[in-house]
Amino acid sequence: MGHLTRRDLNATRERLRDQVAHALRAALISGELRPGAVYSAPTLAEDFGISATPVREAMLDLAREGLVEPVRNKGFRVTAVDERDLDQYTEIRALIEIPMVVRITRTAAREDLEALRPVAVEIVRAAREHDLIGYLEADRRFHLTLLGLAGNERLVETVGDLRKRSRLYGLTALDERGDLIPSAEEHLELLDLMLAGDAKGAEKCMTRHLGHVRSLWAKGGRQGRA
């Protein structure tokens, strides 16, 4: 008891399992669920005021995403991401995403790029409105949709997996300092450069953006551990 802020779940709107998984992701982002700590489905279910079954199913979904790992006869441990992990994930993303942004700038149809503008605006709005879940979901949708314009589904899957594994603990601290807004605005800058056909500028912007994200996430991790 007492691990999570009580959240109202409404099974008539969407499947309870999905709602629980969404709430657990929010708890991971806010730092309510701590890296390295083990949580049992029955205990979390008490916090939600529901049965343990949908919580256990939701935790299994998160385990497949690499966010938690099962601990025999105890529950699920929140997986920790250390500085070395973040460095390696960021390096792999840079090797994939930066050259792909250059290629997509040169080959994508203008209308396909322009279709991403509402998502880029949504990222900025979420950052300004302190909607952390909305921020991360829109950010993920922007980058994976953009990469999808290259037509390589396996590449999109790979980057999607890397993004899940390099999620940020303690994102609330970054939000409170206003550090998310400059990173959010870089999506609009990148899109404008790509629409202008400026492959070199887009390459520089994407390089800066990944470096910016890495430094933000490192600060967030340190804040979360303080």
Side-chain angles (χ1 to χ4, degrees):
M1 291 291 288
H3 287 308
L4 295 178
T5 302
R6 185 63 176 264
R7 293 172 171 84
D8 293 327
L9 301 178
N10 185 348
T12 63
R13 289 203 311 267
E14 53 184 286
R15 291 188 304 136
L16 190 56
R17 172 178 178 167
D18 292 339
Q19 289 192 38
V20 172
H22 185 83
L24 290 172
R25 289 188 188 93
L28 285 167
I29 291 165
S30 68
E32 289 182 81
L33 296 180
R34 303 184 309 279
V38 176
Y39 299 92
S40 72
T43 299
L44 293 174
E46 288 184 36
D47 292 332
F48 286 124
I50 59 176
S51 71
T53 298
V55 176
R56 188 174 292 106
E57 292 175 344
M59 294 295 275
L60 289 171
D61 288 341
L62 298 187
R64 282 188 283 271
E65 296 176 11
L67 302 179
V68 300
E69 56 186 7
V71 179
R72 187 177 178 83
N73 298 325
K74 292 185 177 180
F76 297 84
R77 178 184 292 112
V78 177
T79 55
V81 179
D82 60 24
E83 297 294 319
R84 186 167 179 269
D85 290 330
L86 288 173
D87 284 337
Q88 292 182 350
Y89 292 146
T90 304
E91 182 178 10
I92 297 170
R93 285 189 59 191
L95 289 171
I96 296 173
E97 294 185 64
I98 294 172
M100 292 308 298
V101 161
V102 172
R103 182 195 298 182
I104 293 166
T105 300
R106 293 169 174 160
T107 61
R110 184 178 182 84
E111 56 267 27
D112 290 335
L113 290 172
E114 192 62 56
L116 284 166
R117 187 170 298 279
V119 187
V121 171
E122 184 181 344
I123 296 169
V124 176
R125 182 173 63 248
R128 290 175 176 168
E129 295 178 355
H130 311 287
D131 177 6
L132 302 184
I133 293 293
Y135 174 89
L136 288 180
E137 289 182 347
D139 178 77
R140 175 180 173 81
R141 193 163 67 252
F142 178 92
H143 285 285
L144 296 189
T145 302
L146 177 61
L147 290 174
L149 297 180
N152 188 328
E153 296 177 1
R154 297 295 173 263
L155 183 146
V156 174
E157 290 175 2
T158 298
V159 173
D161 182 66
L162 288 169
R163 290 175 60 87
K164 289 175 183 176
R165 294 180 184 278
S166 60
R167 77 280 180 206
L168 177 64
Y169 295 113
L171 188 60
T172 303
L174 297 177
D175 175 55
E176 289 173 349
R177 295 197 299 268
D179 287 342
L180 292 182
I181 295 175
S183 179
E185 291 174 342
E186 286 173 344
H187 296 84
L188 287 167
E189 179 187 353
L190 176 64
L191 189 58
D192 286 340
L193 288 166
M194 296 181 76
L195 282 164
D198 185 353
K200 199 66 175 177
E203 180 181 18
K204 291 180 179 178
C205 182
M206 189 64 194
T207 301
R208 173 164 37 90
H209 180 64
L210 285 176
H212 192 182
V213 169
R214 172 63 183 91
S215 64
L216 285 178
W217 287 47
K219 286 194 294 182
R222 287 195 291 271
Q223 180 73 17
R225 291 191 293 271

